[in-house]
Amino acid sequence: MGKRNFIKPSWILPESQATSESVFLNRRELVKGLGMGGLLAASGMTFASHRAHAAEDPSSGLYPVTRNEKYKIDPNRGITPEKLNLTYNNFYEFGSHKQIHEAAQALKIRPWEIAIDGEVEAPMTIGIDDLLKKMPLEERLYRHRCVEAWSMTVPWSGFQLSELIKVAKPTSDAKFVRFETFEDKDQAPGQKQFWYPWPYVEGLSMAEAMNEMTFMVTGAYGKPVPKQMGAPLRLAVPWKYGFKHIKSIKKISFTKERPVSFWEELGPAEYGFWANVNPEVDHPRWTQATERDLESGVRIPTLLFNGYGEQVAHLYKDLQNESLYR
Ligand SMILES: Nc1nc2c(c(=O)[nH]1)N[C@H]1C(S)=C(S)[C@@H](COP(=O)(O)O)O[C@H]1N2
Ligand SMILES: [Mo]
């Protein structure tokens, strides 16, 4: 499984060939096919289903939470419109394309238990609503840079992973954190695609996991995080490529060994463990020097560590022999 059967998914096409067209062409087709009224009706439906989801989510009363003003985005750019973020997603469990928002509504997000195990004083399981009660929730504006060279800015709500690590009490043997997504073919038809190494796995070093930027997402745009964006618990590590931002987490394990992530398992020549954003290190098949802003479509320069060097560059000082940028 994996390497030998590696089939190039659509999203690893160069940006120019894949994503921009699919978003803008689909919209143009919609306008042509339905007329403006139809387009508005179609987008209205998306909003209605999102509202319904927010209403049924038992955590909806917790949001909005107070914004932590320490984390700023470029004021000229602003926040990516919620509507765009709700309808343009990577979530391979629900399909290997961007239009998975409807399929993702099949995900059952309650009850939702998260297992914490491995190199910890005592393994435990905690329900998402109990976890939400324990954690100090805040909002942060973060940039998001996908390896496919599109990007956006998102108002995430959630808590710093370091707060959860305090509760988990890892031992001194813990060197890495391994995250695992749910696995259920009935809810997620993408998981019937047997050539992918399900479940989706990601990992961080302990130092990365303890960094102040490392954020566990439970909400977005002042509401519980929607299913297509990784409800009820998702990772945000904004100085790394988007594929590190694992969605719908069910298990957090502290390990001695470095975990092998989903994309690393599939294509180790193209996707590594560290995956830090760097405009000077191209993907083997396209440039990483610039990125397409999802809202405006304008190409903007990519920044080292996606602009978060001040917060994270020190983590890599002693790792210069590692492949840090893919
Ligand atoms: N479980 C899981 N998590 C995932 C993915 C996925 O396919 N499955 N895709 C990743 C990629 S490539 C990106 S860019 C982000 C996209 O998040 P968004 O849809 O909220 O923009 O989710 C990441 N997390
Ligand atoms: Mo991505």
Side-chain angles (χ1 to χ4, degrees), residues 68-81:
N68 185 338
E69 298 291 348
K70 191 172 170 191
Y71 304 97
K72 295 193 193 322
I73 50 165
D74 180 352
N76 301 320
R77 193 176 180 197
I79 294 171
T80 301

Side-chain angles (χ1 to χ4, degrees), residues 63-230:
Y63 304 95
V65 292
T66 307
R67 181 174 297 173
N68 185 338
E69 298 291 348
K70 191 172 170 191
Y71 304 97
K72 295 193 193 322
I73 50 165
D74 180 352
N76 301 320
R77 193 176 180 197
I79 294 171
T80 301
E82 179 181 16
K83 187 175 115 184
L84 202 49
N85 215 330
L86 288 172
T87 53
Y88 185 90
N89 304 99
N90 273 331
F91 202 166
Y92 269 54
E93 285 81 347
F94 297 99
S96 38
H97 51 84
K98 298 289 185 285
Q99 313 305 322
I100 55 80
H101 56 279
E102 272 165 16
Q105 303 315 310
L107 179 63
K108 289 189 192 70
I109 55 168
R110 293 295 187 288
W112 190 277
E113 303 269 299
I114 299 135
I116 300 177
D117 65 10
E119 306 296 333
V120 288
E121 281 179 20
M124 64 171 110
T125 302
I126 185 163
I128 185 69
D129 295 302
D130 289 336
L131 182 63
L132 286 167
K133 268 183 232 150
K134 285 203 170 87
M135 293 291 121
L137 299 181
E138 60 180 64
E139 183 180 75
R140 295 185 182 187
L141 304 184
Y142 272 5
R143 302 158 59 94
H144 178 95
R145 170 57 157 88
C146 177
V147 75
E148 301 164 306
W150 55 266
S151 69
M152 59 183 177
T153 56
V154 194
W156 295 124
S157 307
F159 54 88
Q160 216 168 282
L161 176 57
S162 61
E163 295 289 336
L164 175 56
I165 293 178
K166 276 189 216 159
V167 175
K169 299 200 179 74
T171 68
S172 58
D173 285 335
K175 301 289 182 266
F176 296 91
V177 188
R178 178 186 184 277
F179 303 89
E180 197 178 289
T181 297
F182 73 91
E183 192 167 13
D184 184 340
K185 291 182 182 55
D186 294 333
Q187 295 178 51
Q191 292 183 334
K192 292 181 183 151
Q193 297 185 298
F194 58 84
W195 54 91
Y196 289 114
W198 308 112
Y200 200 100
V201 168
E202 262 306 338
L204 298 171
S205 70
M206 272 307 280
E208 290 177 327
M210 290 300 292
N211 187 269
E212 65 162 301
M213 292 307 299
T214 304
F215 201 60
M216 298 305 289
V217 169
T218 61
Y221 296 92
K223 285 168 272 191
V225 66
K227 295 178 183 183
Q228 62 267 42
M229 289 167 69

